[in-house]
Amino acid sequence: MSIIGEFEQQVRTAVTAALSDLGAADLQFVIELSSVEGVDLSVPCFPMSKAMRKAPAMIAEDMASRIQPSGLIAGVSAMNGYLNFVMDSKPMVAGVLNDIIERGSDYGSMPSSGLRVNVEHTSTNPTGPIHVGRARNPIIGDTLARCLRKCGHDVTTEYYVNDVGKQVVILTWGVMNVSDEVADAEREEHAKAAGHEKERDKTDHRLVAKYRVANRRMESEPEVQREIADMLRRFEDGDEEVIGNVRRTAESMLDGLRETLEAINVTLDRYTWESQFITDGTARDVVEQLKGSEYAGQTDDGAWFVDLKDFGIQGKNTKFTFTRSDGTTLYTTRDLAYHLDKFTRSDRVIDVLGEDQKLGSKQLCSALEILGKETMPEPLFYSFVSLPEGKMSTRKGVVVYLDDLIDEAVAHAYDEIKARSVTRGNDMSEERMMEIARIVGIGAIRYNIVRVQPEKQFVFKWSEALNFDGNSGPYLQYVHARACSMLRKAGEFKHVTDPDMLDDGFEVNLVKVLSRYEEILRQAGEDKKVHLLPAYGHDVAVAFNQFYASVSVLDSGPRRDARLTLVECARTVMADVLGCLGMGAPEEM
């Protein structure tokens, strides 16, 4: 057990004894990391108030009077309804640093749980490039998966490919009927409207031009509308030719989407195709099961639905339709089959979803309950990213693509790195500057998007994302590079974790911040609070800079090795935080 784990255990034992002394031995309580300066762990007494018939402040004071500092507990106090604990700094410093030295990049990781966790994310329709509005999904999903792996779970990331709906059929019709010349003219016009010299020569960007042309023709030409409707019906009937054409089109589009995702350090373990649940019959099995439930009914035109008013869904949304009037299945039906499939290979299923899917997710869970499932998928909802100019639409061509955002971020990072290199007289090569610019630019995007709580509205601003100071990705990367530079200059040194050599307040504070890493990972992963990870990374960077500014490291005499040990440990944790955020950890900037 880590030194922090031992401290928490001693706090738990002390609180349990105090509650027993107060006649409340069976009362449950929680121990939290404290945000109060000078306090390490806290026990909120508010949940105990009703059972103990006392004000939270009085409960905290009564318990504080019954707990004497001992072992790792250096101080106990009551404040505003919280019972606060301070850890003895000396064993804390030695314990944390020894733990980091021994475990290296595994510091903060938890033992294997044996739990299989499925994280479905991205799953954008394969009808065009990923735009900035949807950029939150893969970044949140990938960060969550990384944190869950650090929590000891066997994690599979998954992309659900919508190769059945009307939009992908329109795209397929466009690929088969819109000439390259017409598509190139469309791309040129689109680039001009967006203020670009030319459209990007990338598979998904080439195909989306055909989608836009096909969509306009469908809206204006009845014959095209009939052809697309016929393709859709044939697909639903299992026509192998149509299904094959659509699958090939979607796969081509996915090649471009994967390239974009890989550029922001996102890879997925598995791709599951929606059409699978038509061809293997499982969507039809779901239909038959739902038809046999007591909640099933039919509309006048023959469509089947289940009534969900008994499941907390109100108003016009109580009818969850699972077949059309002609008996064909809907996306909702296939989504049920998909989730039933996921639960056969996962113990915990997490869906990263846009905020517009809240009702659909609730209806899905209600239908799963009707089908007899006890375990439900866990949705992680996020608000869409917008730009100061407003919302975006792929169909109307009013978008900013993630590819463009990546290029802009890298270009801005390059300008900043080049300016700093000139100012400092560094002789960094052009190739090296571009390499670092890509690491910093991608890191800026990922950090800026994940630092905001997913459910909060988010307007992407260049000035915030690409800021090299303050709460930003480049700031954390720069502090990591500073630590690397110090270690390079130091050369060889021996590890010293003697707390008497690290007794400055800023040194102790930095170690305290490092000690919180496992708990932050636990909250970011288990509780799906990924925004806590960049906040923690910023805390580490700030604490490191305060330490760096307050004491000499390289010229500190007998304390030199101990301080270099602290620098190395801080660098280890910063590098791992950057890794969990899907960001590179440059050693020079």
Side-chain angles (χ1 to χ4, degrees):
M1 183 183 293
S2 68
I3 192 73
I4 304 305
E6 290 180 29
F7 176 49
E8 183 176 340
Q9 187 58 53
Q10 290 183 21
V11 168
R12 188 172 300 281
T13 300
V15 172
T16 300
L19 286 172
S20 180
D21 198 32
L22 289 167
D26 297 329
L27 204 59
Q28 299 297 308
F29 60 90
V30 295
I31 300 173
E32 301 175 344
L33 286 175
S34 178
S35 58
V36 177
E37 187 174 352
V39 176
D40 297 312
L41 295 177
S42 293
V43 175
C45 298
F46 305 94
M48 308 176 192
S49 183
K50 184 176 181 181
M52 296 183 71
R53 298 183 180 180
K54 288 182 181 180
M58 184 175 293
I59 296 171
E61 290 167 4
D62 285 349
M63 284 201 288
S65 68
R66 287 167 166 77
I67 300 174
Q68 296 301 314
S70 64
L72 295 173
I73 300 174
V76 187
S77 63
M79 184 175 68
N80 300 328
Y82 285 87
L83 180 63
N84 296 325
F85 293 85
V86 179
M87 185 178 179
D88 188 336
S89 64
K90 287 192 174 184
M92 185 270 296
V93 168
V96 170
L97 297 185
N98 283 324
D99 199 12
I100 296 173
I101 290 166
E102 181 181 343
R103 300 181 64 192
S105 61
D106 282 337
Y107 176 72
S109 298
M110 285 146 259
S112 175
S113 67
L115 195 72
R116 299 170 301 165
V117 181
N118 180 287
V119 180
E120 184 210 329
H121 67 76
T122 308
S123 299
T124 184
N125 286 347
T127 54
I130 300 170
H131 62 66
V132 171
R134 298 279 179 176
R136 237 174 162 179
N137 195 314
I139 292 173
I140 289 171
D142 182 69
T143 305
L144 176 62
R146 291 169 186 260
C147 291
L148 285 165
R149 289 188 180 106
K150 293 286 284 187
C151 290
H153 305 317
D154 179 10
V155 180
T156 299
T157 53
E158 186 158 347
Y159 189 125
Y160 185 42
V161 186
N162 182 350
D163 64 330
V164 178
K166 184 177 182 180
Q167 303 308 313
V168 76
V169 170
I170 293 171
L171 171 64
T172 303
W173 185 93
V175 168
M176 296 170 65
N177 293 277
V178 176
S179 69
D180 291 342
E181 291 76 18
V182 170
D184 287 343
E186 166 68 22
R187 293 174 70 225
E188 187 175 332
E189 187 66 28
H190 184 262
K192 189 183 300 182
H196 298 151
E197 288 187 18
K198 62 180 181 178
E199 190 74 46
R200 188 182 301 272
D201 189 25
K202 187 164 167 275
T203 304
D204 47 339
H205 290 261
R206 291 195 299 271
L207 291 181
V208 76
K210 296 196 174 192
Y211 171 77
R212 289 195 295 263
V213 172
N215 199 68
R216 284 199 302 270
R217 290 187 60 184
M218 183 194 69
E219 292 176 348
S220 61
E221 301 177 29
E223 179 59 30
V224 173
Q225 190 174 50
R226 282 192 292 272
E227 288 179 17
I228 289 172
D230 181 61
M231 284 178 67
L232 199 54
R233 279 192 297 272
R234 288 170 61 194
F235 192 113
E236 281 282 353
D237 290 339
D239 187 301
E240 291 184 5
E241 180 184 359
V242 175
I243 290 175
N245 288 335
V246 171
R247 172 69 73 94
R248 282 188 291 276
T249 300
E251 285 177 337
S252 295
M253 183 65 79
L254 273 177
D255 286 342
L257 302 185
R258 273 192 284 257
E259 190 177 330
T260 301
L261 292 172
E262 287 170 4
I264 57 170
N265 302 324
V266 174
T267 56
L268 289 111
D269 301 317
R270 180 185 175 113
Y271 289 79
T272 298
W273 297 78
E274 185 182 344
S275 58
Q276 165 190 327
F277 303 104
I278 294 175
T279 57
D280 69 7
T282 52
R284 182 56 52 192
D285 291 342
V286 168
V287 168
E288 296 307 314
Q289 289 181 63
L290 289 176
K291 280 182 179 180
S293 79
E294 61 182 297
Y295 303 98
Q298 271 186 292
T299 60
D300 292 339
D301 65 356
W304 280 88
F305 65 87
V306 284
D307 194 328
L308 302 180
K309 64 177 179 291
D310 292 344
F311 296 85
I313 295 176
Q314 306 298 324
K316 63 181 181 180
N317 300 310
T318 58
K319 289 184 178 180
F320 179 79
T321 305
F322 59 91
T323 76
R324 299 185 185 90
S325 56
D326 62 2
T328 56
T329 61
L330 299 166
Y331 175 84
T332 52
T333 329
R334 298 184 290 272
D335 199 24
L336 280 168
Y338 172 48
H339 277 80
L340 291 171
D341 174 62
K342 283 199 285 189
F343 275 114
T344 65
R345 46 191 171 84
S346 310
D347 304 304
R348 185 180 178 190
V349 168
I350 299 173
D351 297 337
V352 182
L353 300 168
E355 60 188 349
D356 58 342
Q357 297 297 312
K358 287 185 177 179
L359 173 61
S361 177
K362 190 173 182 180
Q363 290 173 325
L364 172 78
C365 289
S366 299
L368 285 170
E369 192 173 339
I370 289 172
L371 291 170
K373 287 299 299 180
E374 295 181 359
T375 306
M376 294 294 148
E378 303 172 37
L380 195 172
F381 295 112
Y382 66 93
S383 296
F384 297 123
V385 178
S386 62
L387 297 171
E389 295 80 14
K391 294 183 179 179
M392 292 163 277
S393 166
T394 305
R395 187 175 65 84
K396 296 178 181 178
V398 184
V399 310
V400 173
Y401 292 127
L402 183 54
D403 291 320
D404 299 325
L405 181 66
I406 292 168
D407 285 352
E408 189 75 20
V410 173
H412 186 98
Y414 172 80
D415 290 342
E416 183 71 26
I417 290 164
K418 187 171 184 178
R420 287 171 179 248
S421 179
V422 170
T423 300
R424 294 171 183 172
N426 294 344
D427 57 351
M428 195 182 296
S429 68
E430 188 77 12
E431 183 181 10
R432 181 60 177 153
M433 282 193 290
M434 277 305 302
E435 181 184 345
I436 295 173
R438 176 153 289 276
I439 293 171
V440 172
I442 300 305
I445 293 171
R446 289 196 58 135
Y447 187 101
N448 193 51
I449 282 179
V450 84
R451 73 180 175 85
V452 179
Q453 283 183 250
E455 65 271 20
K456 288 189 176 181
Q457 295 294 321
F458 182 50
V459 178
F460 190 95
K461 297 178 181 177
W462 296 104
S463 58
E464 294 176 354
L466 301 171
N467 184 8
F468 274 63
D469 300 301
N471 189 3
S472 69
Y475 174 69
L476 179 52
Q477 289 173 316
Y478 181 69
V479 175
H480 173 268
R482 169 176 281 171
C484 291
S485 175
M486 293 172 68
L487 293 170
R488 279 196 303 273
K489 291 177 182 177
E492 292 186 5
F493 64 94
K494 65 178 181 179
H495 290 139
V496 174
T497 59
D498 182 353
D500 289 331
M501 292 289 180
L502 295 165
D503 54 6
D504 179 88
F506 289 109
E507 293 170 336
V508 173
N509 180 62
L510 175 55
V511 178
K512 280 191 175 184
V513 174
L514 299 179
S515 75
R516 296 168 48 210
Y517 188 35
E518 181 177 327
E519 182 57 30
I520 293 295
L521 284 170
R522 192 188 311 278
Q523 292 178 31
E526 304 290 11
D527 301 336
K528 306 190 294 291
K529 295 180 178 179
V530 290
H531 63 283
L532 295 178
L533 189 59
Y536 173 74
H538 182 250
D539 287 346
V540 175
V542 168
F544 182 87
N545 272 350
Q546 289 172 339
F547 151 72
Y548 171 80
S550 67
V551 303
S552 173
V553 176
L554 298 178
D555 300 316
S556 54
R559 294 177 180 257
R560 183 177 185 272
D561 283 0
R563 287 175 175 169
L564 285 169
T565 300
L566 178 53
V567 171
E568 182 184 295
C569 289
R571 188 214 62 80
T572 297
V573 174
M574 280 191 281
D576 203 67
V577 171
L578 289 166
C580 280
L581 288 168
M583 299 164 59
E587 296 186 4
E588 58 180 335
M589 284 175 65

Short mmCIF file of all heavy atoms in Angstrom, two decimals, residues 412-448:
data_model
loop_
_atom_site.label_atom_id
_atom_site.label_comp_id
_atom_site.label_asym_id
_atom_site.label_seq_id
_atom_site.Cartn_x
_atom_site.Cartn_y
_atom_site.Cartn_z
N HIS A 412 0.63 27.75 -35.58
CA HIS A 412 0.78 28.73 -34.50
C HIS A 412 1.88 28.29 -33.53
O HIS A 412 2.70 29.10 -33.09
CB HIS A 412 -0.54 28.89 -33.74
CG HIS A 412 -0.52 29.97 -32.71
ND1 HIS A 412 -1.01 31.23 -32.94
CD2 HIS A 412 -0.04 29.98 -31.45
CE1 HIS A 412 -0.84 31.97 -31.85
NE2 HIS A 412 -0.27 31.22 -30.93
N ALA A 413 1.89 26.99 -33.19
CA ALA A 413 2.92 26.47 -32.28
C ALA A 413 4.30 26.65 -32.90
O ALA A 413 5.27 27.00 -32.20
CB ALA A 413 2.64 25.00 -31.97
N TYR A 414 4.41 26.41 -34.20
CA TYR A 414 5.70 26.59 -34.88
C TYR A 414 6.19 28.03 -34.77
O TYR A 414 7.37 28.29 -34.47
CB TYR A 414 5.58 26.19 -36.34
CG TYR A 414 6.81 26.51 -37.16
CD1 TYR A 414 7.93 25.68 -37.13
CD2 TYR A 414 6.87 27.67 -37.93
CE1 TYR A 414 9.07 25.99 -37.86
CE2 TYR A 414 8.00 27.99 -38.65
CZ TYR A 414 9.10 27.15 -38.62
OH TYR A 414 10.23 27.47 -39.32
N ASP A 415 5.29 28.99 -35.01
CA ASP A 415 5.68 30.40 -34.93
C ASP A 415 6.18 30.74 -33.52
O ASP A 415 7.17 31.47 -33.37
CB ASP A 415 4.48 31.29 -35.27
CG ASP A 415 4.11 31.22 -36.75
OD1 ASP A 415 4.96 30.77 -37.55
OD2 ASP A 415 2.97 31.60 -37.10
N GLU A 416 5.49 30.21 -32.51
CA GLU A 416 5.88 30.49 -31.12
C GLU A 416 7.24 29.86 -30.79
O GLU A 416 8.10 30.49 -30.18
CB GLU A 416 4.80 29.94 -30.18
CG GLU A 416 5.03 30.23 -28.71
CD GLU A 416 4.84 31.68 -28.35
OE1 GLU A 416 4.09 32.39 -29.05
OE2 GLU A 416 5.46 32.13 -27.35
N ILE A 417 7.43 28.63 -31.20
CA ILE A 417 8.68 27.92 -30.92
C ILE A 417 9.85 28.58 -31.65
O ILE A 417 10.94 28.74 -31.09
CB ILE A 417 8.55 26.43 -31.30
CG1 ILE A 417 7.59 25.73 -30.32
CG2 ILE A 417 9.90 25.73 -31.30
CD1 ILE A 417 7.09 24.40 -30.80
N LYS A 418 9.62 28.97 -32.89
CA LYS A 418 10.68 29.63 -33.66
C LYS A 418 11.06 30.96 -33.02
O LYS A 418 12.26 31.30 -32.91
CB LYS A 418 10.22 29.86 -35.10
CG LYS A 418 11.32 30.38 -36.01
CD LYS A 418 10.89 30.39 -37.47
CE LYS A 418 12.05 30.81 -38.36
NZ LYS A 418 11.67 30.77 -39.80
N ALA A 419 10.06 31.73 -32.57
CA ALA A 419 10.33 33.02 -31.93
C ALA A 419 11.13 32.83 -30.66
O ALA A 419 12.09 33.57 -30.38
CB ALA A 419 9.02 33.75 -31.64
N ARG A 420 10.78 31.83 -29.87
CA ARG A 420 11.50 31.56 -28.62
C ARG A 420 12.93 31.09 -28.92
O ARG A 420 13.86 31.42 -28.20
CB ARG A 420 10.76 30.50 -27.80
CG ARG A 420 9.49 31.04 -27.15
CD ARG A 420 8.66 29.91 -26.52
NE ARG A 420 7.46 30.45 -25.90
CZ ARG A 420 7.25 30.47 -24.58
NH1 ARG A 420 8.14 29.96 -23.76
NH2 ARG A 420 6.14 31.00 -24.08
N SER A 421 13.08 30.28 -29.98
CA SER A 421 14.40 29.79 -30.34
C SER A 421 15.32 30.94 -30.73
O SER A 421 16.49 30.98 -30.34
CB SER A 421 14.27 28.80 -31.50
OG SER A 421 15.52 28.30 -31.89
N VAL A 422 14.79 31.90 -31.49
CA VAL A 422 15.58 33.05 -31.91
C VAL A 422 15.95 33.91 -30.70
O VAL A 422 17.10 34.34 -30.55
CB VAL A 422 14.80 33.89 -32.95
CG1 VAL A 422 15.51 35.22 -33.21
CG2 VAL A 422 14.64 33.11 -34.25
N THR A 423 14.97 34.14 -29.81
CA THR A 423 15.20 34.97 -28.63
C THR A 423 16.29 34.39 -27.75
O THR A 423 17.13 35.11 -27.20
CB THR A 423 13.90 35.11 -27.82
OG1 THR A 423 12.91 35.73 -28.65
CG2 THR A 423 14.12 35.97 -26.58
N ARG A 424 16.30 33.07 -27.62
CA ARG A 424 17.25 32.41 -26.72
C ARG A 424 18.55 32.03 -27.41
O ARG A 424 19.46 31.47 -26.77
CB ARG A 424 16.61 31.16 -26.12
CG ARG A 424 15.43 31.50 -25.21
CD ARG A 424 14.68 30.27 -24.82
NE ARG A 424 13.53 30.61 -24.01
CZ ARG A 424 12.60 29.75 -23.63
NH1 ARG A 424 12.70 28.50 -24.00
NH2 ARG A 424 11.58 30.14 -22.88
N GLY A 425 18.63 32.26 -28.70
CA GLY A 425 19.85 31.93 -29.42
C GLY A 425 20.07 30.45 -29.62
O GLY A 425 21.20 29.99 -29.79
N ASN A 426 18.97 29.66 -29.58
CA ASN A 426 19.09 28.21 -29.81
C ASN A 426 19.35 27.93 -31.29
O ASN A 426 18.89 28.67 -32.16
CB ASN A 426 17.80 27.49 -29.38
CG ASN A 426 17.58 27.59 -27.89
OD1 ASN A 426 18.49 27.91 -27.15
ND2 ASN A 426 16.35 27.32 -27.45
N ASP A 427 20.04 26.85 -31.56
CA ASP A 427 20.30 26.49 -32.96
C ASP A 427 19.47 25.27 -33.35
O ASP A 427 19.94 24.35 -34.01
CB ASP A 427 21.79 26.22 -33.18
CG ASP A 427 22.32 25.12 -32.25
OD1 ASP A 427 21.57 24.71 -31.35
OD2 ASP A 427 23.47 24.69 -32.45
N MET A 428 18.19 25.26 -32.93
CA MET A 428 17.31 24.14 -33.22
C MET A 428 17.04 24.07 -34.72
O MET A 428 16.77 25.08 -35.36
CB MET A 428 15.99 24.32 -32.45
CG MET A 428 15.14 23.07 -32.37
SD MET A 428 13.57 23.36 -31.50
CE MET A 428 14.17 23.77 -29.86
N SER A 429 17.12 22.87 -35.28
CA SER A 429 16.92 22.71 -36.71
C SER A 429 15.45 22.92 -37.08
O SER A 429 14.55 22.80 -36.24
CB SER A 429 17.34 21.30 -37.15
OG SER A 429 16.45 20.33 -36.62
N GLU A 430 15.24 23.23 -38.35
CA GLU A 430 13.88 23.42 -38.86
C GLU A 430 13.04 22.16 -38.65
O GLU A 430 11.88 22.21 -38.24
CB GLU A 430 13.95 23.77 -40.35
CG GLU A 430 12.62 24.18 -40.97
CD GLU A 430 12.22 25.60 -40.61
OE1 GLU A 430 13.06 26.34 -40.08
OE2 GLU A 430 11.05 25.94 -40.85
N GLU A 431 13.66 21.02 -38.93
CA GLU A 431 12.96 19.74 -38.77
C GLU A 431 12.55 19.51 -37.32
O GLU A 431 11.43 19.08 -37.05
CB GLU A 431 13.87 18.60 -39.25
CG GLU A 431 13.20 17.23 -39.20
CD GLU A 431 14.14 16.12 -39.66
OE1 GLU A 431 15.35 16.39 -39.83
OE2 GLU A 431 13.66 14.99 -39.84
N ARG A 432 13.45 19.82 -36.40
CA ARG A 432 13.14 19.62 -34.98
C ARG A 432 12.05 20.59 -34.52
O ARG A 432 11.17 20.21 -33.74
CB ARG A 432 14.42 19.82 -34.15
CG ARG A 432 14.25 19.63 -32.65
CD ARG A 432 13.76 18.24 -32.31
NE ARG A 432 13.68 18.03 -30.87
CZ ARG A 432 12.84 17.17 -30.29
NH1 ARG A 432 12.04 16.42 -31.03
NH2 ARG A 432 12.82 17.04 -28.99
N MET A 433 12.11 21.83 -34.99
CA MET A 433 11.08 22.79 -34.62
C MET A 433 9.70 22.34 -35.11
O MET A 433 8.70 22.47 -34.39
CB MET A 433 11.41 24.19 -35.18
CG MET A 433 12.47 24.92 -34.38
SD MET A 433 12.60 26.68 -34.81
CE MET A 433 13.30 26.57 -36.46
N MET A 434 9.63 21.79 -36.33
CA MET A 434 8.36 21.31 -36.86
C MET A 434 7.86 20.11 -36.07
O MET A 434 6.66 19.96 -35.82
CB MET A 434 8.50 20.94 -38.33
CG MET A 434 8.38 22.12 -39.28
SD MET A 434 6.84 23.07 -39.07
CE MET A 434 5.60 21.80 -39.35
N GLU A 435 8.78 19.24 -35.65
CA GLU A 435 8.43 18.06 -34.86
C GLU A 435 7.81 18.48 -33.52
O GLU A 435 6.76 17.97 -33.11
CB GLU A 435 9.67 17.21 -34.63
CG GLU A 435 9.43 15.95 -33.83
CD GLU A 435 10.71 15.19 -33.53
OE1 GLU A 435 11.75 15.47 -34.18
OE2 GLU A 435 10.68 14.32 -32.63
N ILE A 436 8.45 19.44 -32.87
CA ILE A 436 7.94 19.92 -31.59
C ILE A 436 6.63 20.69 -31.78
O ILE A 436 5.70 20.58 -30.97
CB ILE A 436 8.99 20.80 -30.88
CG1 ILE A 436 10.21 19.96 -30.52
CG2 ILE A 436 8.40 21.44 -29.61
CD1 ILE A 436 11.37 20.77 -29.96
N ALA A 437 6.54 21.45 -32.87
CA ALA A 437 5.32 22.21 -33.15
C ALA A 437 4.12 21.28 -33.29
O ALA A 437 3.01 21.60 -32.82
CB ALA A 437 5.50 23.04 -34.42
N ARG A 438 4.31 20.13 -33.94
CA ARG A 438 3.19 19.19 -34.07
C ARG A 438 2.80 18.63 -32.70
O ARG A 438 1.60 18.54 -32.39
CB ARG A 438 3.57 18.05 -35.04
CG ARG A 438 2.50 16.97 -35.17
CD ARG A 438 2.56 16.28 -36.50
NE ARG A 438 2.13 17.13 -37.57
CZ ARG A 438 0.85 17.31 -37.92
NH1 ARG A 438 -0.11 16.71 -37.27
NH2 ARG A 438 0.53 18.10 -38.93
N ILE A 439 3.77 18.29 -31.87
CA ILE A 439 3.47 17.78 -30.53
C ILE A 439 2.72 18.84 -29.71
O ILE A 439 1.71 18.56 -29.06
CB ILE A 439 4.77 17.38 -29.80
CG1 ILE A 439 5.42 16.18 -30.49
CG2 ILE A 439 4.50 17.06 -28.33
CD1 ILE A 439 6.81 15.85 -29.97
N VAL A 440 3.21 20.07 -29.77
CA VAL A 440 2.61 21.15 -28.98
C VAL A 440 1.24 21.53 -29.52
O VAL A 440 0.29 21.74 -28.76
CB VAL A 440 3.56 22.37 -28.95
CG1 VAL A 440 2.88 23.57 -28.30
CG2 VAL A 440 4.84 22.01 -28.19
N GLY A 441 1.11 21.62 -30.85
CA GLY A 441 -0.17 22.01 -31.44
C GLY A 441 -1.27 21.01 -31.15
O GLY A 441 -2.39 21.39 -30.76
N ILE A 442 -0.97 19.72 -31.32
CA ILE A 442 -1.96 18.67 -31.01
C ILE A 442 -2.29 18.68 -29.53
O ILE A 442 -3.45 18.56 -29.12
CB ILE A 442 -1.43 17.28 -31.43
CG1 ILE A 442 -1.14 17.23 -32.93
CG2 ILE A 442 -2.42 16.20 -31.03
CD1 ILE A 442 -2.30 17.62 -33.82
N GLY A 443 -1.25 18.83 -28.70
CA GLY A 443 -1.48 18.88 -27.25
C GLY A 443 -2.37 20.05 -26.86
O GLY A 443 -3.22 19.93 -25.96
N ALA A 444 -2.20 21.18 -27.53
CA ALA A 444 -3.01 22.36 -27.22
C ALA A 444 -4.48 22.10 -27.49
O ALA A 444 -5.36 22.47 -26.69
CB ALA A 444 -2.53 23.55 -28.06
N ILE A 445 -4.77 21.42 -28.61
CA ILE A 445 -6.16 21.10 -28.94
C ILE A 445 -6.76 20.15 -27.91
O ILE A 445 -7.84 20.40 -27.36
CB ILE A 445 -6.25 20.48 -30.35
CG1 ILE A 445 -5.88 21.51 -31.41
CG2 ILE A 445 -7.65 19.93 -30.61
CD1 ILE A 445 -5.73 20.92 -32.80
N ARG A 446 -6.06 19.07 -27.63
CA ARG A 446 -6.60 18.06 -26.71
C ARG A 446 -6.81 18.64 -25.31
O ARG A 446 -7.85 18.43 -24.70
CB ARG A 446 -5.67 16.83 -26.66
CG ARG A 446 -5.71 16.01 -27.94
CD ARG A 446 -5.11 14.63 -27.74
NE ARG A 446 -5.79 13.87 -26.70
CZ ARG A 446 -6.14 12.60 -26.80
NH1 ARG A 446 -5.91 11.93 -27.92
NH2 ARG A 446 -6.72 11.97 -25.80
N TYR A 447 -5.81 19.34 -24.81
CA TYR A 447 -5.91 19.89 -23.46
C TYR A 447 -7.06 20.88 -23.36
O TYR A 447 -7.86 20.83 -22.43
CB TYR A 447 -4.59 20.56 -23.10
CG TYR A 447 -4.49 21.04 -21.66
CD1 TYR A 447 -3.79 20.29 -20.72
CD2 TYR A 447 -5.07 22.23 -21.25
CE1 TYR A 447 -3.67 20.72 -19.41
CE2 TYR A 447 -4.97 22.67 -19.93
CZ TYR A 447 -4.26 21.92 -19.02
OH TYR A 447 -4.15 22.34 -17.71
N ASN A 448 -7.14 21.79 -24.33
CA ASN A 448 -8.15 22.85 -24.25
C ASN A 448 -9.56 22.29 -24.32
O ASN A 448 -10.48 22.82 -23.69
CB ASN A 448 -7.93 23.86 -25.39
CG ASN A 448 -8.73 25.12 -25.18
OD1 ASN A 448 -8.68 25.73 -24.12
ND2 ASN A 448 -9.48 25.52 -26.19
#
